[in-house]
Amino acid sequence: MSERTYKATLSQSQGREGWSVIFRHPVLLDRATGKPGRRVRRGLGTKDKTEARRLISQLNELLADRTFWQTSSLFTATMRFTPIVVDIFYHDMVPETTDAFMIRDSVIPLPRSSDSGYRRVLLLGTTGGGKTTLVRQLIGTDPHSERFPSTSTAKTTVADTEILLSPGPFRAVVTFLPRNQVRDYVEECMSAAALVAYYGASDAEVRRRLLNHVDQRFRLSYVLGTGDPTLVDEDDLDDEEAPTSDESAGIDLTVTQALVRSSAERLRSIAAAHAPALREELEATPADERAFEELFEESFDNRLRDDERFQTIADKFIDEIERRFELLRAGKLEKTKQGWPRSWSYESEDRQTFLKVVSRFSSNYAPYFGTLLAPLVNGIRSAGPFAPSWTDHPPAVVLFDVEGLGHTTDSAASLPTAITRRLESVDAVLLVDNATQPMQAAAVAAMRSLASSGQTAKLIVCFTHFDAVTGDNIPTFKLKEQHVLASAENALTSIGEQLGSFAERALRQRFASACFFLGGLDRTLTLNTKLEKRTVAQLQELLRTIDAIVVKPEPVPSRPVYDRVNLALAVQQAAEEFHAAWDARLGIIAKTGVLKEHLAERWDDEYLGLKPVADLHRELQENIYRFIQTPVVWTGAVPSDDEKQLVFAAFALSISLHLLVVVAARLRDEAVSEWQRAFGISGKGSSFVRAKIIAADIYDKAAPIPGVAPSPERHKFLNDVMDAVRKAAETHNITLR
């Protein structure tokens, strides 16, 4: 087979003056095939065609000379070629390390309770549970005229939202998703649209799939519009909801609508060009119906992404997305070397002006579809003299509102690692749950995580929609409270059975001392009704509870002593439970009640509900938490249960932090090449082969089950985990013998 030739070509999008380059990269892996040859398209930073051709010529020199295909040649290339050419070629070979939180922190630093009177508060809850509505009450924004932050019964908060209540001007800093991630989302939407088009879906359904990602985190419709202006009719809105923003100025949505419609039509045509031949080809090799459809959809996606017509459509969408940034009039936009927006910052003395400008990055308001940038945001931090109307003393708090926990049916589900990392840095965790429903499994999972990581003392429970709790048998507030708490009783008992008595004990203490019942949060609260008076009183007590939560108890002099053998058994149990759950997900063995899930074809800490890093961390954390509740002996007098609880909690927290580092390194950082190899598998039987690679070459090596028969991998895994526990023990003067 002849060696593949790589060549760069010049490109210019319709309606744009700047020139771009398109080429297949000889080193970077194609996200669809897992083989070298990723398609790259980048702006050249010039409108001059002669200069653009000169840059293309340099890039073709790089592509033709294999000596430049190593990162070690970066310095040599820098000395020989124009900087933008070097950046384009080596950018993803030597990726930029970007910490979005630190970027935001460099613009608006957040105070800590250790050196100020501020409290950091993290809000957790299921999608639609009301946590963002609670944020509105705590910062005092009007639910109708200001709409900040945005709320919805569906998944609304998909980016980290951080709000600092502070004196001075209103300030904001926004960080954005990397270009590659946005491109991935766009291509996944396009692939889904092409698939339903092949199956005969209507034009409207094809456009809907094109503009809304399957996991609801990326809604292209917010940025580009719905493609159908009749879907949002301002005549259907109340007067108070009528749009007042001029954000659409400078954006010709008719052009964008035409792009969406034509793209949907072209995707239908591309699908028709590939699907029949592919189906005929696959039908020649017998397989059961489910396996056939999986193979067809996977192969269909690969062929789409390898089609230049498909990539050209994606190029146009990316161009259209970038145009939205060009229309930003206020604030300061910072970009990467490649020209993609990295962050945006803004300051204003006027509250209404500030909220109007910032709404482009946070709003989900339908009349603004086609102008919003919210889906491209991975974090937004605001600061200013926000304050609730129902208190004369503005709270000194930093609020963290993160993505909802979803609607999992498994109370043993894992929290995302991003939330696990955030837990350690906050003072309070507001667990928000809907009082009209039994406590959701995701909320129970959050409580399990707090308990097993020793952070139950941070827990504050807020039951929302309390005004909707009605019934002939619960006519009074007290009876309603008892009714709501009864729904949590089974959850607390279950956690006690699974994690031990100290976990249940700690949680019950928090329910007794830090539990609040809130109704009417979706309106501006006055003191005109009993409900509003009661809710205001509850909110005021909530703020007092938050303020007092950092009070540290007296240290316990007596220290526990543990047996290493028992720790090894806990690690073994954790590894067994991790493998049992993932073997079922990967389809290797059957397990009642567990659906076999097709693993997403790209790597991250998590994707579409699959969280291997978080799962292994949770299994280790919970099994080791059970272990630390049973020390062999105490160095002094046996402490009281309250004192034991304090010791166990502090030890568990340190262990959790050390374990997350170990798990992320073993299961993610040290297994990058294996993940890439697994996701590069395609063709008949690829799902099974991929599952075997993940199970045998990743999971078995990252978390081998310790047993009687020793092996270097088992020894290293056990030693890594025990070393993490040992470091935590040394911090707290605890003995492992």
Side-chain angles (χ1 to χ4, degrees):
M1 182 181 291
S2 60
E3 189 174 289
R4 183 173 184 176
T5 301
Y6 296 93
K7 189 172 180 62
T9 59
L10 205 57
S11 170
Q12 187 179 48
S13 299
Q14 184 176 358
R16 307 200 77 174
E17 297 180 356
W19 291 95
S20 299
V21 60
I22 297 175
F23 66 98
R24 291 281 178 175
H25 202 288
V27 177
L28 298 178
L29 300 182
D30 187 284
R31 293 183 178 87
T33 66
K35 299 176 182 178
R38 181 188 302 176
R39 184 182 185 275
V40 176
R41 178 176 179 266
R42 292 288 186 270
L44 291 170
T46 182
K47 299 177 183 178
D48 184 272
K49 190 172 184 179
T50 301
E51 173 64 9
R53 284 175 171 168
R54 185 182 73 84
L55 297 175
I56 290 289
S57 177
Q58 290 188 14
L59 189 53
N60 278 324
E61 285 188 57
L62 277 170
L63 292 169
D65 190 342
R66 283 179 168 271
T67 60
F68 287 110
W69 295 4
Q70 306 294 327
T71 55
S72 57
S73 299
L74 175 59
F75 178 76
T76 304
T78 302
M79 300 300 293
R80 179 171 170 181
F81 301 110
T82 304
I84 193 169
V85 171
V86 177
D87 285 340
I88 289 172
F89 186 80
Y90 288 100
H91 175 67
D92 286 335
M93 292 175 65
V94 188
E96 293 179 282
T97 301
T98 302
D99 187 328
F101 185 89
M102 292 305 296
I103 291 174
R104 298 193 295 273
D105 226 34
S106 67
V107 179
I108 304 177
L110 297 180
R112 294 179 176 273
S113 60
S114 58
D115 53 18
S116 74
Y118 275 86
R119 305 290 181 259
R120 294 188 174 194
V121 182
L122 173 65
L123 288 93
L124 293 180
T126 55
T127 302
K131 60 186 177 64
T132 305
T133 304
L134 176 56
V135 170
R136 284 183 173 182
Q137 284 291 344
L138 295 175
I139 67 174
T141 51
D142 188 275
H144 300 294
S145 62
E146 295 180 325
R147 302 176 179 278
F148 179 78
S150 295
T151 62
S152 169
T153 55
K155 186 181 291 187
T156 306
T157 307
V158 295
D160 290 343
T161 301
E162 304 153 356
I163 304 174
L164 167 63
L165 281 65
S166 66
F170 291 94
R171 296 170 291 155
V173 56
V174 178
T175 50
F176 302 104
L177 297 173
R179 182 203 297 265
N180 286 346
Q181 189 172 352
V182 173
R183 177 91 185 201
D184 281 350
Y185 278 136
V186 168
E187 290 186 11
E188 286 170 0
C189 290
M190 290 170 55
S191 181
L195 183 64
V196 298
Y198 167 68
Y199 285 133
S202 66
D203 291 343
E205 177 62 13
V206 174
R207 289 195 297 268
R208 188 186 71 80
R209 294 295 186 99
L210 176 60
L211 295 171
N212 294 279
H213 194 269
V214 64
D215 73 350
Q216 299 183 39
R217 298 196 77 258
F218 185 78
R219 291 183 170 93
L220 200 54
S221 58
Y222 287 18
V223 186
L224 303 182
T226 62
D228 183 355
T230 64
L231 293 178
V232 180
D233 189 347
E234 292 181 15
D235 291 338
D236 293 335
L237 302 174
D238 296 334
D239 289 340
E240 64 181 2
E241 295 180 328
T244 58
S245 173
D246 62 351
E247 295 297 345
S248 62
I251 299 178
D252 186 354
L253 289 181
T254 60
V255 174
T256 309
Q257 290 162 2
L259 172 63
V260 171
R261 290 194 297 271
S262 65
S263 297
E265 293 167 2
R266 292 182 66 191
L267 286 171
R268 189 186 294 276
S269 175
I270 295 170
H274 286 292
L278 174 61
R279 185 169 287 276
E280 183 178 343
E281 177 185 320
L282 296 177
E283 285 174 348
T285 55
D288 65 73
E289 184 176 350
R290 178 177 175 179
F292 177 85
E293 290 303 325
E294 278 192 3
L295 178 58
F296 172 76
E297 292 182 12
E298 178 183 294
S299 302
F300 181 64
D301 178 72
N302 288 344
R303 294 200 180 187
L304 287 175
R305 293 173 189 252
D306 204 39
D307 190 313
E308 188 60 28
R309 295 171 297 174
F310 182 90
Q311 294 296 336
T312 299
I313 295 173
D315 291 342
K316 291 181 178 180
F317 278 124
I318 294 297
D319 286 343
E320 198 65 25
I321 288 170
E322 288 192 83
R323 283 193 179 95
R324 298 312 191 260
F325 288 102
E326 293 172 0
L327 296 169
L328 286 174
R329 300 182 183 88
K332 180 181 180 182
L333 185 65
E334 298 282 353
K335 295 185 177 183
T336 65
K337 292 179 181 179
Q338 299 294 310
W340 185 258
R342 175 189 283 123
S343 66
W344 172 88
S345 55
Y346 176 69
E347 181 176 312
S348 175
E349 296 286 348
D350 183 74
R351 176 185 175 114
Q352 296 307 316
T353 300
F354 174 82
L355 292 176
K356 180 187 290 187
V357 172
V358 170
S359 68
R360 285 201 69 187
F361 304 95
S362 63
S363 178
N364 63 352
Y365 191 37
Y368 295 162
F369 283 6
T371 70
L372 302 175
L373 296 172
L376 310 174
V377 172
N378 64 15
I380 176 169
R381 181 175 299 181
S382 302
F386 296 103
S389 59
W390 33 261
T391 179
D392 296 329
H393 305 286
V397 295
V398 180
L399 302 175
F400 296 89
D401 186 12
V402 297
E403 184 175 352
L405 298 177
H407 292 291
T408 177
T409 58
D410 184 4
S411 61
S414 305
L415 288 185
T417 54
I419 292 179
T420 302
R421 292 186 180 95
R422 182 66 61 85
L423 287 175
E424 184 272 335
S425 65
V426 301
D427 302 301
V429 177
L430 265 60
L431 183 61
V432 182
D433 204 48
N434 190 334
T436 64
Q437 304 170 352
M439 181 163 273
Q440 300 294 293
V444 178
M447 291 195 297
R448 284 178 62 127
S449 181
L450 285 169
S452 61
S453 64
Q455 301 183 84
T456 312
K458 297 179 179 181
L459 177 64
I460 299 174
V461 182
C462 295
F463 287 105
T464 59
H465 302 87
F466 194 64
D467 51 320
V469 177
T470 59
D472 293 340
N473 60 326
I474 46 174
T476 67
F477 283 115
K478 281 296 181 184
L479 287 173
K480 290 178 181 179
E481 287 180 3
Q482 292 174 9
H483 173 77
V484 172
L485 289 173
S487 72
E489 181 64 31
N490 288 339
L492 296 176
T493 301
S494 176
I495 290 174
E497 292 171 350
Q498 294 159 352
L499 297 183
S501 60
F502 282 95
E504 179 181 356
R505 185 175 188 274
L507 287 169
R508 289 189 181 278
Q509 288 175 344
R510 297 310 296 168
F511 269 79
S513 63
C515 188
F516 300 92
F517 303 87
L518 309 171
L521 292 180
D522 59 343
R523 68 193 75 157
T524 300
L525 293 174
T526 63
L527 298 177
N528 295 330
T529 66
K530 286 184 178 180
L531 171 66
E532 291 183 340
K533 289 178 181 178
R534 182 176 179 81
T535 296
V536 167
Q538 287 278 286
L539 287 169
Q540 291 172 339
E541 182 60 28
L542 169 63
L543 292 179
R544 287 190 287 270
T545 301
I546 291 172
D547 189 57
I549 206 164
V550 296
V551 176
K552 300 297 182 184
E554 291 295 322
V556 179
S558 187
R559 301 280 89 188
V561 178
Y562 295 95
D563 189 334
R564 290 176 181 269
V565 174
N566 292 336
L567 175 57
L569 292 174
V571 176
Q572 178 180 345
Q573 181 70 21
E576 288 175 350
E577 291 172 355
F578 171 77
H579 283 284
W582 268 96
D583 282 350
R585 292 191 184 104
L586 292 170
I588 295 174
I589 61 173
K591 182 177 179 182
T592 303
V594 178
L595 295 176
K596 297 178 183 178
E597 298 173 272
H598 193 285
L599 200 61
E601 295 189 8
R602 72 177 182 196
W603 169 244
D604 200 350
D605 260 5
E606 61 177 275
Y607 188 70
L608 292 179
L610 300 176
K611 303 187 283 281
V613 174
D615 289 344
L616 179 56
H617 179 257
R618 175 181 55 80
E619 295 291 2
L620 287 167
Q621 180 174 281
E622 291 190 354
N623 277 279
I624 292 175
Y625 181 74
R626 286 190 285 268
F627 154 76
I628 67 175
Q629 294 174 75
T630 55
V632 177
V633 70
W634 292 83
T635 58
V638 177
S640 66
D641 283 349
D642 284 343
E643 290 173 326
K644 287 180 181 178
Q645 191 168 297
L646 293 174
V647 173
F648 296 156
F651 191 21
L653 175 57
S654 293
I655 291 173
S656 177
L657 298 176
H658 285 95
L659 281 179
L660 190 54
V661 174
V662 170
V663 171
R666 294 185 63 89
L667 199 51
R668 183 190 62 197
D669 302 339
E670 297 172 7
V672 171
S673 60
E674 285 81 4
W675 282 111
Q676 291 175 339
R677 182 164 64 93
F679 295 149
I681 299 296
S682 61
K684 184 180 179 181
S686 59
S687 294
F688 180 75
V689 174
R690 183 183 300 113
K692 293 289 286 185
I693 291 173
I694 293 171
D697 295 344
I698 300 176
Y699 291 173
D700 282 353
K701 292 180 179 179
I705 300 173
V708 177
S711 73
E713 289 173 348
R714 289 174 177 171
H715 175 76
K716 186 176 187 307
F717 172 61
L718 183 59
N719 188 64
D720 284 352
V721 175
M722 295 187 76
D723 189 54
V725 177
R726 179 188 58 77
K727 290 177 181 177
E730 289 177 352
T731 302
H732 298 281
N733 195 27
I734 289 172
T735 302
L736 286 174
R737 67 184 189 189

